[in-house]
Structures are given as structure tokens and as C-alpha cells.
Amino acid sequence: MSDEQGPAERLALGTPLREALDTTSPAPWLALDAEVRILASRPANRLPTRNDLRGLPAGPLSPGDESRVALALCHPNGRVREAALGRAAETPGLLPLLVVRCADWAAPVRDRARAVLADAAGPGFARVTPLVLLLSRRDRGGFALHLLERVLRDGPGRDVEALLDDEDRAVRRFACGIAVDRHLLTRAELARRAAAADDVRVQVLYAEAALAGAGEDDHDAVVAPLLSARSPQVRAAGVTGLRRAGRHGQAAGFLADRSGLVRACARYVLRQGGTDPLPLYRSMCLDPAQRPSAVAGLGECGSRTDIETLWPLTAHPLPAVRAHAVAALCALDAVQPDRIRPLLDDPAAVVVRAAARALRPYAATLDADLLRARLTPDRPRATRSAAHRLLAAQERAHARGLCPRP
């Protein structure tokens, strides 16, 4: 058998369905549906007819007969597709093609397929979830999705839980929503899954469900796993959960978190507990090397009196402190272009990028020749990129007439 033969050709030669294509993935089923129509245009294509289907023996299909029914379900002739639907309902391996036909372009085939699937859908229906979700993006693809939702919401919880770790992100999101709505997981399980998930939407769903109704007794099992998560969205949820657990003071440990979202949540929780975070930030900025992100936090909630504290930090030995100091000055609307511009030549790329962001609103006022001088190959890549961005911003300002060209 040639390796160049497609799944439809292999099925036409009697190859068992599971050997002809990857039956575990949704895309091959759709590819087979399209390939059979191409094969039908060739002479001696060996595709089954309605008479062939009538001649199939009753009862379970042999591997060869299963292949013939699979081809019939994809046949360009709608009457052949419709005739094959009854045998598809009797054969679990053909369930994916039955789902495909529920979105058929021919109304008689589509309606018949939907009636057959509604009768045949059971616990095993969950295994075609990836295909159902893929087809739901098509016109007429919503029927199988609504049917699947009903089956999973009314059926055994284990069918939903089996999908929570599926390799398909869309499947994980779909199953997560149903599991949360059905309360299939404990708060501790939700928190652990929120901390371990790599998808922001799933992280948020799990974290919010874990914290819903959580109280003081749920700190160790629910809040603590959220606080230790790598995801800033999950950590932020955990910090907010400290308020529900009555542990407002612990939020102080997250004032200098690397994420601005987490820092903002920490400030909120502390204020809810009666603590002003600003003095804490000012104290941390006395030795910012220990907690560099505290410098950014000072800019996020500080006042004009903190500006003089921040300017010296733009020359701090630690690059992270210098970069956060520039960001803090931006937050306090205290940028002085002449004092920030030298940081375009800083040896740390993170500082150069921070300086470029700070200077962008003032790009029209910058010396263009000075910026062009930083485009030469001997300059560090970060400096060249910053100069390119600032020159582009300057050009846009000139085009809008915000300032005259030199």
C-alpha cells in the first residue's frame, strides 16, 4: 500500500478505520469528509452505493464493512449519506462522522443525523468533545454542542472530570465551566487546579470558584495554594482571598510582588484591614535592593512628595531598581525627559526599555540627531530598538501636526 494514499483511498481498499486514519483527533475526520468528495470525482473510485449499504449483514459491522459505511457517510450524494446514518448509530467507532453529519449542508441528511445522534448520545459521547467543539465554529454546528452540554451536565461527573486534563485547550475550558457549574470539585481541588493550570481563563474560573463562599477556615486548603501560584491572576485572587479569611495583614508580603495586579490587590486588602500601604512602601524603598518591585509600588500609590525619593533610584546599582524607578516616575507623572534620556544608554536592557516607554509621550521634543546616533551597529540592541521606536513616535507626532519638523 502506498504511503501517499490518503485515508479515503485506504478505506476504499478495505483498510480498517483505525488503521486508515488517526481516530483520536478531530482534524482527520474533517479531512476524511473532504477527501471522499475528491475521491468521488475519479473513475473506479470504489465508493459504496445505497445498494451496497442494503447488502450489509445485520448486527455488528466487520472492519471492512465499517470502512465502507465511513465512506458512505462522507459520500457527495446526500441520499447515500442519509442511508448510512442508521448503521452509524449502531457502530461506536463511527460516532465522529455522525457528529459531522449533524452539520451537513443538506437539510434532510442534517435532520436525520440529529435525530439519530439524539437517540444514540450517551456517556461515550464525551470522547468526541474535541470534534464537537471544532465543528461548533461552523454554520449549523451548534446542535451537537448543545446536545453534548446536556449530556455532560446530566450525566456522571466522571465524564466531565476526564476532560479537565485534556490536551486540547478548548476542551479543558469547556469541561472546566461545566465542572464549576456542577460543583464537581471541592474548594481545595479547585485551588490546586487554579495554581497548576497554564491557561489564564481556566485559572480564573478555578480561582473564583475556589474562593466563592470561602471563610476563615479555608486559608490553608484554598488561599495558600493560590498565593504560591506562578500566575499573577491566581496570586491576585489569593491575595483577595486573604480578606475573606480575615488575614488582612498577610497582604503586606505581596506589596512588592513582581505583578502590578497582585500589588494592587495587596493594597486593597490592607486598606480594608485598616492599614495604609504607603508608609510600608516608603520603608521598603530605603533598601530597595531587597524588594525592587516596591519601588514601582511606591509610584502606584505615592504622592508628589515621593518624587525626590525616586529620582536617585534611577542611578541605583541594581538594574531592576532603576527600571522600577523610571516606571514609578511615569505613574506619578513626574518624567523629566532630559534626566531620563541618558538611560537610553544604560547597560541593562530592562532599564533602556523602561526609559523608552517613559520618553514616548515626549518623543516629539527629543533631538532626532541624538536618537539617530544610537542606531549604529556598535550600539547595544536594546538601545537601537529604543531609538527606532522613539524616532517612529516622533514621526507620527510630526504627521499629526503636534509639533513642527526641525
Side-chain angles (χ1 to χ4, degrees):
M1 187 181 299
S2 172
D3 292 337
E4 297 180 358
Q5 288 178 331
E9 292 175 288
R10 293 196 287 271
L11 289 175
L13 292 172
T15 304
L17 187 63
R18 288 160 187 79
E19 296 178 18
L21 74 157
D22 178 8
T23 60
T24 63
S25 178
W29 292 105
L30 301 182
L32 173 65
D33 189 39
E35 188 184 329
V36 172
R37 292 195 293 274
I38 297 174
L39 184 62
S41 64
R42 301 175 186 172
N45 52 52
R46 301 189 184 184
L47 291 181
T49 65
R50 281 192 291 172
N51 287 334
D52 294 330
L53 294 175
R54 294 190 190 102
L56 293 177
L61 296 173
S62 67
D65 289 340
E66 185 181 42
S67 297
R68 280 188 282 277
V69 175
L71 290 171
L73 285 166
C74 304
H75 200 286
N77 187 317
R79 291 184 174 86
V80 176
R81 296 198 303 277
E82 187 176 2
L85 290 171
R87 299 312 302 265
E90 305 167 1
T91 310
L94 296 175
L95 178 61
L97 290 177
L98 181 55
V99 170
V100 172
R101 295 282 66 86
C102 287
D104 199 281
W105 57 93
V109 178
R110 185 170 66 247
D111 294 342
R112 172 65 176 152
R114 292 178 176 183
V116 171
L117 183 63
D119 291 335
F125 194 20
R127 67 182 175 84
V128 294
T129 299
L131 177 61
V132 170
L133 293 176
L134 185 60
L135 280 169
S136 69
R137 304 171 192 169
R138 294 184 172 185
D139 290 341
R140 304 179 296 272
F143 174 85
L145 179 61
H146 295 319
L147 181 60
L148 177 63
E149 286 179 338
R150 188 168 75 243
V151 169
L152 291 179
R153 290 184 185 279
D154 297 338
R158 62 178 180 274
D159 291 338
V160 181
E161 294 175 24
L163 299 174
L164 293 176
D165 298 313
D166 194 273
E167 62 182 18
D168 188 317
R169 183 178 66 175
V171 173
R172 294 196 303 273
R173 289 179 174 181
F174 176 70
C176 174
I178 294 177
V180 167
D181 289 345
R182 290 188 60 180
H183 305 286
L184 296 178
L185 304 173
T186 66
R187 289 195 184 98
E189 290 171 331
L190 290 166
R192 287 195 296 270
R193 284 187 170 275
D198 58 2
D199 179 1
V200 173
R201 187 183 301 180
V202 170
Q203 290 168 357
V204 172
L205 279 172
Y206 280 137
E208 290 179 348
L211 291 172
E216 296 183 8
D217 296 335
D218 294 309
H219 177 271
D220 292 343
V222 176
V223 179
L226 301 180
L227 292 174
S228 63
R230 294 182 61 186
S231 163
Q233 286 81 4
V234 178
R235 289 201 309 280
V239 171
T240 304
L242 289 171
R243 181 177 64 87
R244 299 186 182 186
R247 304 194 182 197
H248 300 76
Q250 289 186 15
F254 296 87
L255 285 175
D257 191 274
R258 61 185 180 273
S259 165
L261 174 64
V262 178
R263 294 194 297 269
C265 290
R267 292 193 293 270
Y268 165 76
V269 172
L270 284 173
R271 291 183 182 119
Q272 291 293 303
T275 300
D276 183 359
L278 184 53
L280 298 177
Y281 275 126
R282 287 170 175 164
S283 176
M284 285 186 277
C285 286
L286 296 177
D287 185 13
Q290 300 298 318
R291 307 181 79 177
S293 297
V295 178
L298 180 60
E300 290 160 354
C301 73
S303 65
R304 304 294 296 181
T305 60
D306 297 302
I307 293 174
E308 293 308 313
T309 300
L310 293 169
W311 274 115
L313 296 180
T314 61
H316 193 278
L318 197 64
V321 173
R322 298 198 298 276
H324 285 309
V326 173
L329 289 167
C330 290
L332 291 173
D333 195 22
V335 171
Q336 296 177 27
D338 289 343
R339 296 179 71 176
I340 294 292
R341 183 192 53 74
L343 293 177
L344 293 175
D345 298 316
D346 193 279
V350 66
V351 180
V352 176
R353 290 193 293 268
R357 286 191 295 270
L359 290 171
R360 194 171 301 159
Y362 307 93
T365 67
L366 300 177
D367 186 332
D369 290 336
L370 184 148
L371 294 175
R372 292 191 191 98
R374 279 151 180 78
L375 298 177
T376 56
D378 60 311
R379 297 281 184 167
R381 180 178 178 180
T383 297
R384 297 197 308 271
S385 297
H388 272 299
R389 290 195 296 271
L390 290 171
L391 284 168
Q394 188 176 80
E395 192 63 29
R396 289 193 295 270
H398 291 319
R400 294 196 301 268
L402 299 181
C403 64
R405 293 182 182 273

